[in-house]
């Protein structure tokens, strides 16, 4: 009996403490006004995901500014400069959720803090879970983090999409 209970507890701990598979997860972005799309990687996650109760999960991690790719080598290098992402002083972008709430349509509202260039701002994303994949999407304005691609705030809108594979 004790063996059965111990085995159930071990199995439950695997269900409750799933981690993000950084290799099979992907983060993409699109600068809407520029029509520029890209990826950012080197995902380092400290997330704790409960696939049975997403609301109890913590999504926390960072990505490397150096991994930013837009398909244009010169543009990518330019984005590393102090004027934009300032890779030298701020080599990583990070996100940590504060709350995850289920919506009526079985999507989730993910609220948290996004830190870019040492500036932490609250953001809200929408998440959808399918099997062991969590897709998270949302919009940010890079100018809120002193990354001014264009002069007008609305032209600094970026759409973020994260596909997180849970192990």
């Amino acid at each position: 009996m004790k063996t059965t209970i111990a085995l159930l507890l071990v199995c439950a701990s695997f269900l409750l403490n799933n981690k993000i598979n950084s290799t099979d997860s992907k983060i993409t972005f699109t600068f809407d006004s520029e029509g520029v799309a890209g990826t950012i990687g080197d995902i380092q996650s400290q997330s704790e995901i409960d696939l049975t109760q997403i609301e109890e999960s913590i999504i926390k991690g960072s990505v490397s500014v150096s991994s930013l790719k837009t398909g244009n080598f010169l543009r990518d290098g330019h984005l590393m400069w102090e004027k934009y992402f300032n890779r030298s002083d701020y080599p990583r972008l990070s996100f940590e959720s504060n709350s995850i709430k289920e919506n009526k349509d079985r999507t989730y509202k993910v609220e948290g803090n996004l830190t870019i260039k040492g500036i932490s701002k609250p953001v809200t994303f929408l998440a959808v879970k399918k099997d062991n994949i969590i897709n998270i999407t949302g919009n940010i304005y890079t100018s809120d983090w002193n990354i001014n691609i264009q002069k007008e705030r609305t032209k600094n809108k970026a759409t973020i999409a994260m596909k997180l594979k849970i192990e």
Side-chain angles (χ1 to χ4, degrees):
M1 180 67 166
K2 287 182 182 178
T3 306
T4 304
I5 292 171
L7 183 59
L8 287 174
L9 289 173
V10 169
C11 289
S13 73
F14 282 118
L15 287 174
L16 297 176
N17 293 310
N18 293 301
K19 302 290 183 193
I20 292 174
N21 178 327
S22 298
T23 305
D24 293 330
S25 295
K26 185 175 184 176
I27 300 174
T28 61
F29 60 87
T30 304
F31 282 100
D32 297 348
S33 69
E34 299 290 312
V36 173
T39 62
I40 190 162
D42 186 18
I43 300 169
Q44 294 180 2
S45 174
Q46 299 82 42
S47 300
E48 294 181 17
I49 308 295
D50 181 344
L51 289 171
T52 63
Q53 294 182 324
I54 297 294
E55 303 90 341
E56 302 299 318
S57 300
I58 297 169
I59 299 172
K60 179 180 179 182
S62 67
V63 292
S64 169
V65 171
S66 295
S67 70
L68 189 143
K69 304 282 184 248
T70 66
N72 181 312
F73 175 77
L74 294 175
R75 178 177 41 228
D76 295 349
H78 190 71
L79 289 170
M80 302 300 143
W81 295 355
E82 185 177 335
K83 179 179 176 182
Y84 298 105
F85 285 95
N86 194 357
R87 175 183 58 192
S88 298
D89 292 341
Y90 305 102
R92 299 194 72 79
L93 315 177
S94 63
F95 175 78
E96 183 171 358
S97 64
N98 297 335
S99 71
I100 302 173
K101 296 178 183 167
E102 186 171 5
N103 298 318
K104 290 180 183 179
D105 61 357
R106 302 217 13 102
T107 61
Y108 298 88
K109 179 180 178 181
V110 179
E111 295 179 323
N113 290 309
L114 178 62
T115 303
I116 303 173
K117 291 177 68 172
I119 302 167
S120 186
K121 300 267 185 179
V123 294
T124 301
F125 294 117
L126 179 68
V128 177
K129 178 182 88 70
K130 184 175 181 187
D131 300 324
N132 67 331
I133 303 287
I134 299 175
N135 289 300
I136 302 172
T137 57
N139 297 308
I140 65 168
Y141 293 91
T142 59
S143 54
D144 293 348
W145 287 270
N146 296 329
I147 300 171
N148 295 296
I149 306 298
Q150 297 288 333
K151 290 181 182 180
E152 293 178 43
R153 181 179 189 268
T154 57
K155 291 188 176 184
N156 289 297
K157 181 179 173 186
T159 301
I160 310 296
M162 297 174 258
K163 179 182 177 184
L164 306 178
K165 184 171 181 187
I166 312 304
E167 300 183 318

